[in-house]
Amino acid sequence: MLSSEIRYFLAVASSGSLSAASEQLFVAVSAISRQIQRLEAQVGASLFDRHARGMVLNEAGEILARQVRQSMLDMDYALAEIKGLKAIRRTLIRIACTDGMAFSLLPGLLAEFRALNPGVYFALKVEGSQAVAERVRAGECDVALQFSLHPESGVEVMGSWPAPVLLAMHKDHPLAQQPAPVTLEALSPYPMALPEQNTTVRQLFDLACQMRGCVIEPVLTCDYFATLYHFLLSTPEAITISSAFTLLNETQRDLVLREMGVDQLSQRTLQLQRVSGRQRNAALSPFLSFLQQRLNEIAAGLA
């Protein structure tokens, strides 16, 4: 139901170049270029910054793309309602989350909800915290779960739970036997496996180290917590950092979580987010209620 100009505009915006959009749409580059120029003439402004390597939305293009995507989502909801697809027995819920939530806890919660509502389908995107926040603001997901250091603007926070940074290690690790909080200085003899510096957990850990004057050189850095987790299992003296939510089920097996007694490491929360003001479909309301209830129960058990 989109015009050719808008379809081609969105394809270039998402792919970053005319040639990539051409391959995606099976349309000649020249035809896409003409439609983009026609659209720019209609709105009276350039929509892209053109570079040798491709095309990037400028401020006017961002405004148009945001409005078009919003209109598309509204149309999706309208068509779903017309076709009777808003019944909970046939509903897709789109979720965005950061890596820590995708490791163990969220898959379990999704399975638990589907056991009660087998007609509900999920589409999950796992991204960095900034990308998750952008996806929520753009209306590209129905609900998001992410660890955050501050309230996100332009989103509705349905719930927030403390998610301090903890040390994760094997239950037989030498530091696991110490009753007091583990000091940062005590970590230096042991191999550290850490997330990349674009994660909130690593940012808080690095800040705490800087304030204590500690230099900790990780032997492994990785964007995927699953990699850090399996490295930990394969390296008995290794240590990583995590939240209790991320390793909720694993601490019942071979791992333990230890506090570090540093105030800066308690600044993070787990947030349940959704698009502010967006209409909920038939399954989303009970799903949000389910997540709120289960996360309240989990947080109470961790307290």
Side-chain angles (χ1 to χ4, degrees):
M1 301 179 71
L2 297 176
S3 67
S4 296
E5 294 98 329
I6 293 297
R7 286 196 301 112
Y8 295 173
F9 164 72
L10 292 177
V12 174
S14 62
S15 64
S17 71
L18 292 171
S19 59
S22 173
E23 294 178 2
Q24 175 183 326
L25 297 171
F26 301 101
V27 176
V29 169
S30 59
I32 297 175
S33 179
R34 284 195 301 272
Q35 295 286 9
I36 295 295
Q37 291 172 7
R38 182 179 301 175
L39 181 60
E40 290 177 326
Q42 290 175 3
V43 301
S46 172
L47 300 173
F48 293 93
D49 290 331
R50 291 161 168 82
H51 305 285
R53 294 186 177 180
M55 299 168 65
V56 180
L57 289 173
N58 59 22
E59 185 176 3
E62 291 283 2
I63 293 172
L64 180 60
R66 184 166 56 249
Q67 291 301 319
V68 168
R69 288 167 179 154
Q70 182 72 36
S71 297
M72 291 171 61
L73 289 170
D74 291 340
M75 180 61 73
D76 287 343
Y77 279 110
L79 292 175
E81 187 171 6
I82 292 169
K83 295 177 181 178
L85 298 181
K86 288 177 71 68
I88 193 170
R89 64 182 180 274
R90 297 178 64 191
T91 304
L92 172 68
I93 297 178
R94 300 162 305 162
I95 306 171
C97 74
T98 45
D99 184 55
M101 282 301 297
F103 176 69
S104 176
L105 179 59
L106 187 53
L109 292 175
L110 299 186
E112 187 178 339
F113 186 79
R114 281 205 78 249
L116 302 173
N117 304 280
V120 176
Y121 299 84
F122 296 104
L124 178 64
K125 291 285 187 180
V126 182
E127 299 176 301
S129 57
Q130 183 175 355
V132 169
E134 288 298 327
R135 190 172 288 275
V136 178
R137 283 192 285 267
E140 296 174 355
C141 64
D142 300 303
V143 58
L145 285 153
Q146 68 163 314
F147 296 106
S148 182
L149 299 178
H150 52 77
E152 293 289 351
S153 61
V155 304
E156 180 182 353
V157 178
M158 306 293 296
S160 179
W161 298 270
V165 179
L166 304 173
L167 296 171
M169 63 192 73
H170 195 273
K171 64 181 181 182
D172 295 326
H173 193 283
L175 295 181
Q177 315 307 318
Q178 297 185 8
V182 177
T183 65
L184 292 172
E185 292 79 5
L187 302 179
S188 57
Y190 304 102
M192 294 292 298
L194 298 178
E196 294 283 0
Q197 293 176 325
N198 61 343
T199 60
T200 56
V201 64
R202 177 68 185 275
Q203 291 164 8
L204 288 178
F205 182 76
D206 286 351
L207 175 62
C209 289
Q210 291 170 11
M211 296 188 69
R212 293 296 184 96
C214 295
V215 178
I216 296 178
E217 191 72 28
V219 300
L220 171 65
T221 58
C222 184
D223 271 341
Y224 298 100
F225 185 78
T227 300
L228 303 177
Y229 169 76
H230 287 288
F231 180 81
L232 198 67
L233 296 182
S234 303
T235 311
E237 291 200 337
I239 302 172
T240 190
I241 52 178
S242 173
S243 79
F245 287 103
T246 299
L247 282 172
L248 181 68
N249 300 320
E250 309 311 317
T251 54
Q252 301 172 8
R253 302 171 188 173
D254 297 323
L255 301 182
V256 295
L257 295 173
R258 301 297 311 278
E259 295 181 356
M260 287 171 273
V262 181
D263 290 341
Q264 290 80 11
L265 298 177
S266 301
Q267 297 174 2
R268 200 173 64 142
T269 61
L270 168 62
Q271 292 187 4
L272 173 62
Q273 305 170 343
R274 66 181 296 267
V275 183
S276 182
R278 171 55 56 81
Q279 177 188 4
R280 302 182 190 181
N281 61 37
L284 186 55
S285 290
F287 180 60
L288 288 170
S289 298
F290 165 79
L291 288 179
Q292 289 174 308
Q293 177 182 343
R294 291 292 289 114
L295 290 172
N296 281 334
E297 293 170 353
I298 291 168
L302 295 175

